[in-house]
Amino acid sequence: MAKEGPNWDGLLKWSLAHSDGTNPSRNLSEEDRKWFMEAVQAQTVDVVKRMKEITLVMQTPEQVLEAQGVTSADIEDMLDELQEHVESIDMANDLHSIGGLVPLLGYLKNSHSNIRAKAAEVVTTIVQNNPRSQQLVMEANGLEPLLSNFTSDPDVTVRTKALGAISSLIRHNKPGVTAFRLANGYAALRDALGSENVRFQRKALNLIHYLLHENASDCNVVSELGFPRMMMHLASSEDAEVREAALKGLLELAREETKGADGSLGEDEKLKQLLQERINGISLMSPDDLGAAREERQLVDSLWNTCYNEPSSLKEKGLLVLPGEDAPPPDVASKHFEPPLRAWAANPSTDKSPSSEKKEAPLLLGGPPPEAADSQNNSGAGEDANGQPNR
């Protein structure tokens, strides 16, 4: 079947024919203007209208959709589309006003794991760096099904996506953090650290680090729950991101203990053994791996310094800062701009002639146009034909 819609090839040829610079510009005829507008409008999506249509589907009972031949894959594709729309903060906030937020949260309880996971992804997009939508989701009791999926869903992908949504929901959201604590969220994070899924571990460690960094008083809670030992274990993970995230959490705990004059973490021989093993491992890395492990090297040294009040042996071995890592950033400007630009920038108001309003101009990429070059040869001033700085 031929695809319906405007003839885009024809539209492209028409546009090129009327904008290639070889013909003088002309006014469009009414017929051309009408054809062009219809072609454009035919492909213009009314996002709010489309979101309302998606909302209507989400409000339809699952068994009704199945009876009409709608599969879980179809719903997942629809949620994919919705996620694209709500990447706009305005559209994300509008989802509630058109009645779509509550049925979306209902999909977190769907019988299909792929839909539960995708719904959590959409929630993540909606609430990320969006205080208004964070508030709306909290008011709609959206944290409860997310916590349920995070703690007890049989599918680890669903658990991981739910944790990602929780992390975005409670960041910079004090009521959200409080509700997470009251719901025994730290115990759930401890269970996540015991998972064998690396991605699940990473997300849990990153949220732990954020919570400890923002709420130093929580360090006592996680210590009592046995987090330090679990993070020490994960600091030896084969996954570099897991190692770094675990070291970040341990560093937050160590710094807080230092403030409170409680050195229990630094007195733990297992931690010292761990750090020494990481130093030995780093010492055996290839140059490429050393460069990639820059953050890990710095974390190991910072943790050692915090716990034992002295630099780690990485510094003595010259592995803390590799040659070139402390060099200033490359001079990008000199590669793209001619030297006169800097001279002009240093003294832009210099006039070559008291009777002239002309000013020196910076040279643009590729040097001055031929007219400006001729003017410079004749007058010595870096200006265009009108005596104004080149832009």
Side-chain angles (χ1 to χ4, degrees), residues 6-14:
N7 182 351
W8 288 106
D9 289 338
L11 178 59
L12 175 62
K13 292 176 182 179
W14 182 90

Side-chain angles (χ1 to χ4, degrees), residues 89-203:
I89 288 182
D90 290 338
M91 292 298 104
N93 294 337
D94 283 346
L95 183 63
H96 172 73
S97 62
I98 64 176
L101 181 59
V102 171
L104 171 63
L105 296 175
Y107 270 161
L108 294 169
K109 303 175 183 178
N110 192 273
S111 61
H112 298 279
S113 62
N114 60 328
I115 294 179
R116 296 196 300 275
K118 191 63 196 182
E121 274 192 55
V122 180
V123 172
T124 300
T125 302
I126 290 172
V127 300
Q128 199 163 35
N129 301 318
N130 187 346
R132 175 58 180 159
S133 281
Q134 286 178 333
Q135 179 185 357
L136 291 172
V137 170
M138 293 297 296
E139 291 175 351
N141 202 26
L143 181 59
E144 181 179 346
L146 287 172
L147 283 168
S148 176
N149 288 359
F150 165 44
T151 57
S152 58
D153 198 283
D155 190 307
V156 69
T157 300
V158 176
R159 297 183 69 190
T160 304
K161 298 293 185 182
L163 176 55
I166 291 170
S167 180
S168 295
L169 177 61
I170 68 176
R171 281 178 185 266
H172 311 296
N173 175 9
K174 290 183 178 180
V177 171
T178 300
F180 180 78
R181 284 203 203 98
L182 292 174
N184 211 15
Y186 275 116
L189 287 172
R190 180 188 57 191
D191 293 341
L193 294 185
S195 165
E196 296 182 359
N197 185 282
V198 171
R199 182 166 182 170
F200 198 31
Q201 292 172 347
R202 283 201 300 259
K203 284 188 177 293

